[in-house]
Amino acid sequence: MQPGAGFARLAGEQRKEPAGTAGGEAVIESTELWDAGLSRELRAGEARAWETLYDALGKRVFRLIVRLVSDEQVARDLTHDTFVAVSERGAQYAGRGSVEGWVFRIAANTAKSWLRDTARRREIREEMLTGTTGGVLRAEAEDRIVLRQAVMELSDGQRAVLLLHEVDGYTHAEIGEMLDIAEGTSKARLSRARNALRERLRREM
Amino acid sequence: MKDDWTDGRIGEQLRDAFSPPEFPEREIRSRIRQTLKSVGSESDTLRDRTRRHPVVRTVLTAAATLMVFLAGSEYGRRTAEPTAPEAGGVQEGTPVAIQTSGSRYVANLARFAEHAPALGTAEREEAREAAVAILYAAVTELLAQEDDELLAITARLMYSLRQSQYGTDTEGVLLF
């Protein structure tokens, strides 16, 4: 059996894109991603199993990490590290829960570990506030500077949930699986983030 | 009552200001392939040669001892004893570069190996820094060899080094 052959049936599933979001990449629902063939390949240490997962999840993993670390270049490195880890740790995948969730947890943990470097996090935040970081932020219009600052002042957890939900269009269930938090926690973080932004924008705009 | 969220105004501004970057799919795929090739995931022979190299053995014995302690895992507790420095991993045949740049770290290794179960957060962080320093020394020494095989080993070590800099609770921080 070719690595990932069981994934053929997964093609063609489309995520509902939020209004104004470009894209339309094929995205696979969690329940469909769990694949017995791939699970066996991972546990058997098949060398190319990571590539099947990269084809299916690479873009979403990259964007998740971008949301967590707010730096495109770092996200490239950490996406690389995530799939190297997927390849290295395939044998550790126990087959419980979805393969997709397992990959996202590795990605989220990789990003969170990087974020623990508080000096680097502070540096990134300052770059974001001054608009010197490339890639993540597109808009430079003055009337959006306040919005950008307000978003960057949120906690890491609130900002990630806000952007994953409002910009990337993920549901709370999906965010919960990606970040390994309860669905209710995702909702609560979004609510707090919205309130904080509302308050800040009301004062500034 | 409608507000800026429910009428979509803020959401639209967020999407404009934080539109996701393009996914550099080919670049990242290529880098992953290179890493896996260089580190031996697709070559057991290279991995075996890497493991046998005396410099690598010494460094990895030292660093792996620390990192499994740092992870605080059951696996770490099971494997700590046979890889402990006093078993000969660190103190015998320690490369010159590591001796000169890291005698303090080697001493720390022995201490951490002995007291690992009781390590506090600060001590774990100190141990992580020691492991990183040892890896730096190993990379420096290996780069000086200008040998293709050793460069491949170096690539592996550099990857481990970067992983170990992320923190202390990532599973499988050291990949040897």
Side-chain angles (χ1 to χ4, degrees):
Chain A
M1 177 179 171
Q2 290 298 311
F7 262 23
R9 66 184 171 79
L10 301 171
E13 193 71 28
Q14 299 287 320
R15 165 175 303 287
K16 178 188 173 192
E17 292 290 335
T21 300
E25 76 267 28
V27 175
I28 300 157
E29 295 299 331
S30 300
T31 52
E32 294 179 78
L33 184 56
W34 200 94
D35 180 277
L38 183 64
S39 174
R40 279 195 299 274
E41 289 158 13
L42 279 169
R43 282 180 283 181
E46 292 280 351
R48 294 291 178 180
W50 73 268
E51 203 142 7
T52 304
L53 285 167
Y54 184 78
D55 289 339
L57 303 174
K59 188 172 188 176
R60 293 170 68 194
V61 164
F62 173 71
R63 289 186 172 178
L64 168 66
I65 294 174
V66 166
R67 294 309 181 206
L68 290 169
V69 302
S70 301
D71 184 295
E72 183 180 343
Q73 289 303 320
V74 171
R76 292 179 186 217
D77 288 344
L78 298 185
T79 301
H80 158 274
D81 294 350
T82 295
F83 283 96
V84 170
V86 164
S87 175
E88 295 280 355
R89 299 183 213 165
Q92 297 173 20
Y93 173 63
R96 292 189 296 271
S98 71
V99 176
E100 181 182 15
W102 178 70
V103 173
F104 279 126
R105 280 192 292 279
I106 291 174
N109 286 335
T110 301
K112 287 173 187 172
S113 293
W114 185 87
L115 281 169
R116 286 197 192 95
D117 181 343
T118 53
R120 178 59 189 152
R121 183 171 54 188
R122 196 178 308 119
E123 181 184 326
I124 289 292
R125 189 153 297 172
E126 286 167 2
E127 286 175 358
M128 294 291 286
L129 291 173
T130 56
T132 56
T133 296
V136 177
L137 297 176
R138 306 292 185 204
E140 296 300 326
E142 282 186 27
D143 62 350
R144 295 198 179 118
I145 291 176
V146 171
L147 176 66
R148 185 199 315 174
Q149 288 175 332
V151 170
M152 294 312 297
E153 286 172 3
L154 297 172
S155 70
D156 293 331
Q158 288 177 15
R159 185 174 59 255
V161 169
L162 175 78
L163 296 177
L164 287 168
H165 185 78
E166 294 289 340
V167 179
D168 298 332
Y170 288 107
T171 65
H172 288 293
E174 290 169 326
I175 293 170
E177 182 168 30
M178 283 192 276
L179 301 183
D180 200 19
I181 58 176
E183 190 174 338
T185 302
S186 177
K187 290 178 181 176
R189 285 185 186 178
L190 178 65
S191 176
R192 285 196 288 271
R194 283 177 164 181
N195 287 338
L197 276 186
R198 247 192 223 109
E199 181 60 30
R200 173 71 189 269
L201 297 177
R202 199 168 282 149
R203 287 200 312 265
E204 302 282 346
M205 300 180 82
Chain B
M1 184 182 80
K2 278 193 166 187
D3 63 12
D4 286 343
W5 282 109
T6 51
D7 72 12
R9 192 172 71 86
I10 296 180
E12 186 179 343
Q13 289 179 346
L14 279 172
R15 286 189 285 275
D16 284 345
F18 289 91
S19 61
E22 289 298 313
F23 173 45
E25 185 267 338
R26 286 188 180 182
E27 175 206 316
I28 297 176
R29 184 192 301 272
S30 172
R31 286 178 53 197
I32 296 168
R33 283 176 174 164
Q34 285 177 350
T35 299
L36 293 178
K37 189 175 179 183
S38 70
V39 302
S41 288
E42 296 171 335
S43 168
D44 287 340
T45 304
L46 175 60
R47 173 172 286 196
D48 290 343
R49 285 204 304 271
T50 302
R51 281 177 168 156
R52 283 197 299 271
H53 191 278
V55 173
V56 175
R57 279 176 62 92
T58 303
V59 170
L60 293 177
T61 300
T65 301
L66 283 175
M67 300 313 287
V68 294
F69 290 155
L70 299 176
S73 65
E74 187 61 33
Y75 171 80
R77 285 188 287 277
R78 284 204 310 272
T79 56
E81 189 173 347
T83 58
E86 53 267 42
V90 173
Q91 290 158 347
E92 293 179 11
T94 304
V96 173
I98 295 173
Q99 286 179 351
T100 55
S101 66
S103 59
R104 181 168 70 88
Y105 301 124
V106 173
N108 281 347
L109 281 177
R111 184 164 64 85
F112 286 127
E114 187 178 350
H115 301 292
L119 286 183
T121 304
E123 289 174 311
R124 284 174 186 273
E125 177 57 21
E126 190 180 346
R128 185 184 70 80
E129 289 174 1
V132 169
I134 288 170
L135 287 171
Y136 265 124
V139 167
T140 302
E141 176 148 323
L142 289 170
L143 281 174
Q145 307 287 325
E146 296 183 354
D147 174 277
D148 286 345
E149 185 174 342
L150 291 182
L151 285 176
I153 295 170
T154 307
R156 178 79 185 194
L157 279 174
M158 290 174 75
Y159 176 70
S160 295
L161 177 60
R162 204 147 60 79
Q163 289 291 93
S164 65
Q165 287 173 318
Y166 292 155
T168 59
D169 65 348
T170 303
E171 293 175 18
V173 176
L174 282 179
L175 303 176
F176 280 86

